[in-house]
Amino acid sequence: MRLFAAAFAALAAQNAAAFSPGVTTVGRRFSSSARMAEKTALSQDELKKMVGYKAVDDYVKSGMVVGLGTGSTAYFAVERLGQLLESGELKDIVAIPTSVRTKEQAESLKIPLVTLDTHSKLDVAIDGADEVDPDLNLVKGGGGALLREKMVEVCAEKFIVIVDESKLCDGLGPGFPLPVEITPFCHEHTIRTIAALPSCAGCDAVLRMGSSSSNKPDGDEIAITDNGNYIVDLHFTEAIKDAPKMAMELKNTVGVVDHGLFCGMTTAVIIAGSNGISVKEA
C-alpha cells in the first residue's frame, strides 16, 4: 500500500461506498507514475496507460502464460508487456490474444504468441470492461471480442480487470448495452427469442451494424465478429436484477454463441480515477 496510499488517498475516499478499494500495492517500475499522479491531473488516456502498466507490473512474472485483452485500456497492458520483454525484465513469457487486433499489436511488439490448443491453463489474463458492478460482475463485448475474451479469461488462474472509474455502476444494464454473440442462421428468430426471455423482459434488442468493434451504428452492413457471427446489443432502462440468472438463460438459448456477462470470474479490478489508482479485490 505504501506509495499508493499516500498518492491516492483522495480516490480511496471517493470510492469508499460500493467500490471501496482493497489493499493497493505498487512495484518499483511503477513508482514514477505514482509520483507523477500526485503532481498533475491526468487525461483519460494517461489514466488508462497507468492502470494497464500497473496490471502488468504487479501481476505478470517471468515464465507465465498471459491472456491479452482487447480494447483501449487493454492496449496499454499489451504495450507494457512488450516493453518489459524487450528490456529483459520479463523472460519466457507466452501470450494468448483475444482478438485479431490484439494479435496484430502483440506481433508488432514481438510478444511470443500461443493458443488455447497448446496452453489451456493461463497464469493471468488482463482485460478491460464496459461495466463493473459492486460484486465485480462485468459487462464486456463493446469491442466485439466477447467470445474469445471469455474463452481465454475463464482459463486464467487470475483475471485482472482494468477500467477507469466511469465504468463502475450500481447495477449492470442501463449504462451500457449488453452484447450477445449469435449465429447468422435465422438471426431474426434468435433475436426475438432472446427478447422474450424472462430475465430480458423489457430490453430493446438491436442488431449491431457496421463495425463489430463498436455498438454505435457506423455502416449499413451487419457487423461480423472475428468468429463470423453477429452481435445483438440488449438495451435496458433498469438494472439487471439477477445477472447470473440472465447469463444462464442466454447461454441456454439455441442460436446464442455467448454473451457479455462475465459473472464470478474477476480476481481484482484496478480502477483509474482522476486522482490516481485504486484496487478492488474479489
Side-chain angles (χ1 to χ4, degrees):
M1 180 145 182
R2 295 182 288 272
L3 288 172
F4 273 95
F8 305 134
L11 184 62
Q14 178 179 329
N15 289 337
F19 283 91
S20 56
V23 175
T24 310
T25 59
V26 60
R28 288 174 293 178
R29 296 190 295 259
F30 200 76
S31 59
S32 61
S33 294
R35 290 193 295 271
M36 176 183 68
E38 289 182 286
K39 299 177 181 179
T40 61
L42 301 177
S43 70
Q44 187 176 34
D45 279 347
E46 287 171 326
L47 290 168
K48 289 179 178 182
K49 183 174 183 177
M50 287 177 65
V51 78
Y53 278 35
K54 177 174 171 58
V56 174
D57 288 351
D58 287 1
Y59 290 96
V60 179
K61 309 298 179 188
S62 291
M64 283 187 167
V65 181
V66 182
L68 304 179
T70 296
S72 60
T73 308
Y75 173 91
F76 290 109
V78 179
E79 178 180 81
R80 183 58 165 171
L81 183 61
Q83 289 177 358
L84 297 181
L85 284 170
E86 184 179 21
S87 70
E89 292 179 74
L90 289 176
K91 301 178 184 297
D92 302 320
I93 293 287
V94 293
I96 302 178
T98 56
S99 66
V100 171
R101 59 188 180 276
T102 297
K103 177 178 181 289
E104 292 171 347
Q105 182 195 5
E107 287 175 337
S108 73
L109 297 171
K110 299 180 180 179
I111 297 172
L113 299 180
V114 294
T115 73
L116 291 176
D117 287 339
T118 57
H119 294 71
S120 292
K121 293 184 179 180
L122 287 71
D123 297 288
V124 64
I126 300 170
D127 204 355
D130 299 305
E131 282 193 317
V132 183
D133 77 7
D135 294 323
L136 306 191
N137 295 318
L138 316 173
V139 165
K140 288 176 52 56
L146 65 95
L147 175 60
R148 297 191 187 191
E149 288 171 341
K150 189 174 289 185
M151 287 181 68
V152 170
E153 289 152 11
V154 77
C155 295
E157 182 177 346
K158 293 182 178 179
F159 177 32
I160 308 304
V161 179
I162 48 178
V163 298
D164 65 73
E165 61 189 351
S166 70
K167 305 300 177 65
L168 307 181
C169 65
D170 293 328
L172 303 176
F176 197 93
L178 171 64
V180 181
E181 189 160 344
I182 64 173
T183 60
F185 177 72
C186 296
H187 66 277
E188 293 182 0
H189 160 76
T190 302
I191 291 172
R192 290 194 300 269
T193 302
I194 290 170
L197 291 173
S199 61
C200 297
C203 78
D204 183 18
V206 179
L207 185 64
R208 190 173 294 192
M209 304 295 290
S211 169
S212 66
S213 62
S214 172
N215 62 12
K216 300 289 191 291
D218 58 2
D220 297 328
E221 300 294 326
I222 298 174
I224 307 293
T225 70
D226 287 346
N227 315 298
N229 297 314
Y230 296 168
I231 291 179
V232 56
D233 292 297
L234 308 184
H235 297 252
F236 294 90
T237 57
E238 297 181 358
I240 296 170
K241 294 182 174 61
D242 189 336
K245 180 180 179 182
M246 180 180 290
M248 181 180 66
E249 288 191 358
L250 285 168
K251 188 66 175 178
N252 288 340
T253 300
V254 176
V256 169
V257 180
D258 218 318
H259 53 78
L261 287 171
F262 286 53
C263 300
M265 292 175 55
T266 306
T267 301
V269 181
I270 305 178
I271 305 159
S274 56
N275 296 309
I277 306 296
S278 64
V279 177
K280 167 90 174 187
E281 296 181 346

